[in-house]
Amino acid sequence: MFDFSGTLFRLEQNSSWLSDLTTPDGAPLDVEAQTELMRRMTAPTGQVVELSEEYQHAWENRDLDPALHRKIYLEVLRKSGVAHAHQAEALYNRLIDPAEWTPYPDTEAALKDTAAKGVKVGVLSNIAFDIRPAFAMRGYTDFVDEFLLSFEEGYIKPQPEVFRLLIDKLGVAPENTLMVGDSEEADGGAKALGCAFALVDPLPTAERPDGLLTALRTHGVL
């Protein structure tokens, strides 16, 4: 089982998205501010800004409801210094566009080689939009047996139910299952069912050429 964001794919910082963003006083965002903005948009766990009670509910349920996901991330952008609503909307639309996500250099090999060995492959993501097109447009779909997305199922990692659902769909035993992800807190929840867990670092794609293959080899999958 593979996580999506920070594991198989990453939303890379693209300067063209951020070049027109300005602070409330009209100054352009500096590189440090741009980097922090992208981190806040893709962090798998942990609250990234202080929120009112209304927005706290949206944050806690963002990966279960696309409307709440949009609501909270537009608020996160506002609180992170994106002054204009149209700028926040444009950046949010990049976030939920599967074409904007970049696969890690070894994503194709990790999926393809695992599937070629007859091992069932599942993708399990806390997310509020459909990531299947990101796989389809790169020819990866044939290597994945099941996709399980939180907003479609009503559960989020690390709830054991979401891991159990995917394990059952794949028809494998937990003790014969490896979960690969970038969050000990979220993805590591699979260990409660008896699954093995491999942690990968959600580095920029150019800085992590073989993290997936290394994890699979370490656990005897490849």
Side-chain angles (χ1 to χ4, degrees):
M1 300 189 295
F2 293 95
D3 172 50
F4 173 68
S5 175
T7 301
L8 294 174
F9 286 70
R10 189 174 190 271
L11 187 66
E12 300 277 32
Q13 182 172 337
N14 184 321
S15 60
S16 68
W17 304 353
L18 306 171
S19 59
D20 294 331
L21 297 185
T22 57
T23 63
D25 61 4
L29 295 182
D30 59 27
V31 172
E32 183 177 341
Q34 292 179 10
T35 300
E36 174 60 15
L37 195 60
M38 295 301 291
R39 185 196 71 80
R40 293 183 180 190
M41 293 293 284
T42 57
T45 59
Q47 190 168 314
V48 294
V49 296
E50 291 189 14
L51 299 166
S52 67
E53 183 176 345
E54 174 190 357
Y55 285 102
Q56 188 67 40
H57 170 78
W59 176 261
E60 292 171 358
N61 293 277
R62 66 193 185 281
D63 290 323
L64 298 173
D65 184 333
L68 292 179
H69 191 271
R70 174 177 287 274
K71 175 179 178 177
I72 189 56
Y73 278 106
L74 291 178
E75 176 68 359
V76 167
L77 288 169
R78 186 186 71 81
K79 285 208 158 192
S80 299
V82 180
H84 303 291
H86 72 278
Q87 294 179 338
E89 286 279 358
L91 187 53
Y92 178 80
N93 289 336
R94 299 276 194 178
L95 169 68
I96 62 170
D97 182 354
E100 299 289 359
W101 289 74
T102 303
Y104 277 90
D106 59 344
T107 291
E108 180 175 6
L111 296 174
K112 185 177 182 179
D113 293 356
T114 301
K117 293 196 70 173
V119 177
K120 293 288 187 178
V121 175
V123 174
L124 173 57
S125 182
N126 285 355
I127 206 153
F129 59 93
D130 190 1
I131 59 175
R132 295 176 185 88
F135 292 78
M137 67 181 59
R138 295 170 177 87
Y140 299 168
T141 304
D142 289 345
F143 311 136
V144 179
D145 295 286
E146 296 285 347
F147 288 90
L148 200 152
L149 311 181
S150 59
F151 81 101
E152 295 178 339
E153 302 294 342
Y155 297 107
I156 56 174
K157 298 175 289 185
Q159 291 178 296
E161 293 89 347
V162 74
F163 299 106
R164 173 62 67 183
L165 276 170
L166 183 52
I167 289 169
D168 288 347
K169 285 177 179 289
L170 293 173
V172 296
E175 60 269 24
N176 296 327
T177 302
L178 172 66
M179 178 71 209
V180 183
D182 70 313
S183 170
E184 180 79 39
E185 179 182 344
D187 304 309
K191 293 186 290 186
L193 277 69
C195 302
F197 172 61
L199 183 67
V200 293
D201 196 333
L203 293 168
T205 56
E207 297 176 24
R208 206 195 78 192
D210 60 358
L212 295 169
L213 292 175
T214 297
L216 295 172
R217 289 167 182 154
T218 298
H219 286 266
V221 177
L222 298 179

